[in-house]
Amino acid sequence: MNILVLNVGSSSLKFQLMDTDAERMKENTDRRLARGQIERIGGEAVWSFRAGDAAPVKGSAPLKDHRAAVEYLLAWIVADDSDVEIHSLAEIGAAGHRVVHGGEHFVHSVAIDDAVMRGIEETIELAPLHNPANLKGVQAVKAVLGPAVPQVAVFDTAFHHTLPERAFLYAIPYSLYRRHRVRRYGFHGTSHRYVAYRWRQITGTPREAQKIITLHLGNGCSACAIRGGESIDTSMGFTPLEGLVMGTRSGDLDPALLDYIAEKEGLNLAGVETLLNKQSGLLGISGLTNDMRELLAEAEEHDDRRAWLAIEIFCYRVRKYIGSYLAAMGGADAICFAGGIGENAPAVRAMICEEMEWAGIKLDPAANHACNGVEARISAEGAKPEVWVIPTDEELLIARDTFRVINGLETRY
């Protein structure tokens, strides 16, 4: 089955066209037929599309809204010169959507109907920048492909519904949870779930015996403690701001700072929130960039003190979370790196794992250095816990969930 996977932002759209079914999932022969993205929707949008493993093609077009963007990318997919292996929209059997927030109601991927749309709308106040855009993607596909094409929502928060109360509750008046559902929700769930599934597959470990720590490190970063295939703790909280240092997000800080910064800088609460979400993290510490690649180059070439400081704080925070999750689970069998930084920055992985030999964590320097964007074990021979790099594939999991949901199959991996 050909499944359109969409990740829709307020003015952007990322897509993949996946060919998957029960047999392909069993044999791991799912095929990526096309992928790409459109940015600056609402004006002169810029796009980059590619068929299979071909070189990307790029261009621009006036696209006034998400429906126009979906129409444009689908027209490219079925065009004779796109080299995509389908030639009619009728060959697209379903659509799967990344939905950022499912609240406490959506604990699994679900087929989208009017009731689900209302449920997603009810969580908008928990993810005001994301869920409205996700809904626009659903509505655009329905308008373009028609209501008969099934659509499925795959929630970032769903994987973390297994967190126990001791992990998801904050030490604030319990009434705030009862009245307003103030709690830890966690994010990047689809990525953590894929990495956990893939590690079991690689190592032949039964689900019930799994005990690992997954690290999704990119512009957004989160850690997850996984036992028995289920999330038992994670670093992001009520919003994606909590936890690790990220590209532009601060991660953990003293909440009393909000009032202090507001008073000293003459900001309202919204201004402080913008500062913490968009002007902090690697960018805020370095004063240079939120791109880890650029920071590493600046640190190595010019020995820039603040670039080094940003990298050091980033790695130190990850190391602290590894230690806390080792304590929470009574040890772990593996530490798994994923995400753009986790998959492609050997120097960062090495710095994170420094001084962790007390816990059994020891890298093979040659294996770590050689691993860029590929699946590999990078720990020293015999070291426990093992350290792995497992490139995440959220789109594959969304496509598989979509197939499973519309065919009445279990989505638990």
Side-chain angles (χ1 to χ4, degrees):
M1 173 183 282
N2 297 320
I3 296 172
L4 179 67
V5 175
L6 289 182
N7 180 357
V8 178
S10 58
S11 61
S12 65
L13 180 157
K14 296 180 181 179
F15 81 94
Q16 293 200 21
L17 184 65
M18 301 289 301
D19 174 15
T20 191
D21 54 32
E23 189 63 27
R24 289 193 180 280
M25 285 189 277
K26 182 179 179 181
E27 301 296 330
N28 276 319
T29 56
D30 318 70
R31 295 192 305 149
R32 190 171 280 106
L33 303 181
R35 73 186 90 172
Q37 60 187 25
I38 303 175
E39 298 178 333
R40 303 178 193 171
I41 296 170
E44 187 66 20
V46 294
W47 54 266
S48 175
F49 301 155
R50 62 189 302 179
D53 294 322
V57 292
K58 301 180 180 181
S60 64
L63 302 174
K64 65 178 182 178
D65 54 26
H66 289 83
R67 174 173 175 171
V70 170
E71 288 176 340
Y72 192 86
L73 76 88
L74 289 174
W76 175 81
I77 284 174
V78 299
D80 291 338
D81 60 355
S82 72
D83 294 326
V84 180
E85 294 181 30
I86 71 169
H87 305 288
S88 166
L89 296 183
E91 295 178 63
I92 298 176
H97 297 263
R98 178 203 180 204
V99 180
V100 168
H101 216 306
E104 289 191 317
H105 181 67
F106 296 110
V107 298
H108 300 290
S109 301
V110 296
I112 298 173
D113 57 18
D114 290 342
V116 169
M117 291 289 281
R118 288 193 296 271
I120 296 173
E121 289 172 356
E122 290 170 3
T123 62
I124 283 176
E125 65 178 357
L126 298 177
L129 300 179
H130 297 93
N131 277 24
N134 301 153
L135 287 168
K136 287 180 181 178
V138 176
Q139 293 159 346
V141 169
K142 183 177 180 180
V144 178
L145 293 181
V149 174
Q151 300 192 68
V152 170
V154 180
F155 300 91
D156 272 13
T157 52
F159 181 59
H160 302 300
H161 83 277
T162 52
L163 265 61
E165 283 187 312
R166 66 185 183 189
F168 77 67
L169 284 176
Y170 293 111
I172 57 178
Y174 189 75
S175 58
L176 293 174
Y177 168 62
R178 293 292 297 271
R179 291 203 301 266
H180 308 299
R181 317 319 286 176
V182 177
R183 54 159 289 174
R184 178 182 309 282
Y185 287 100
F187 300 88
H188 291 148
T190 306
S191 176
H192 291 298
R193 180 162 67 108
Y194 174 81
V195 173
Y197 153 76
R198 183 61 187 152
W199 182 84
R200 294 195 303 271
Q201 192 176 52
I202 296 167
T203 61
T205 304
R207 181 188 181 93
E208 60 274 12
Q210 184 175 42
K211 192 161 64 170
I212 67 171
I213 297 168
T214 53
L215 302 169
H216 180 103
L217 306 179
N219 192 48
C221 301
S222 64
C224 187
I226 299 173
R227 184 166 58 203
E230 296 182 341
S231 172
I232 66 160
D233 207 347
T234 190
S235 57
M236 284 181 167
F238 181 71
T239 75
L241 181 59
E242 188 180 358
L244 304 177
V245 172
M246 307 177 220
T248 62
R249 297 183 193 132
S250 65
D252 294 339
L253 48 71
D254 182 344
L257 277 174
L258 275 66
D259 275 344
Y260 186 82
I261 293 171
E263 180 181 346
K264 294 296 185 181
E265 294 293 315
L267 298 172
N268 59 19
L269 189 58
V272 175
E273 187 175 344
T274 297
L275 182 147
L276 297 178
N277 274 293
K278 298 184 178 181
Q279 300 166 21
S280 299
L282 294 175
L283 174 63
I285 299 166
S286 71
L288 297 171
T289 179
N290 64 317
D291 191 317
M292 181 61 82
R293 294 166 297 186
E294 295 176 11
L295 285 175
L296 288 167
E298 189 69 23
E300 292 168 5
E301 293 173 18
H302 304 292
D303 199 28
D304 185 279
R305 189 187 76 84
R306 284 176 58 185
W308 277 122
L309 185 61
I311 297 165
E312 183 179 14
I313 293 173
F314 178 95
C315 295
Y316 178 68
R317 185 75 61 85
V318 177
R319 193 182 311 132
K320 281 174 51 174
Y321 266 91
I322 292 173
S324 68
Y325 288 168
L326 287 172
M329 294 194 294
D333 297 318
I335 315 294
C336 298
F337 286 90
I341 297 172
E343 296 165 19
N344 300 288
V348 172
R349 296 193 298 258
M351 288 181 68
I352 289 170
C353 294
E354 278 178 359
E355 301 177 7
M356 292 290 287
E357 290 190 20
W358 63 269
I361 299 170
K362 184 178 181 181
L363 296 188
D364 178 327
N368 180 48
H369 181 74
C371 183
N372 280 281
V374 296
E375 205 169 72
R377 180 176 62 82
I378 60 171
S379 49
E381 190 67 33
K384 296 287 184 179
E386 294 182 341
V387 182
W388 285 80
V389 175
I390 300 180
T392 192
D393 199 337
E394 296 169 89
E395 292 79 11
L396 174 62
L397 205 54
I398 292 172
R400 288 180 169 185
D401 268 19
T402 299
F403 178 85
R404 288 173 176 271
V405 167
I406 64 178
N407 287 282
L409 304 174
E410 185 182 26
T411 58
R412 181 174 179 262
Y413 277 85

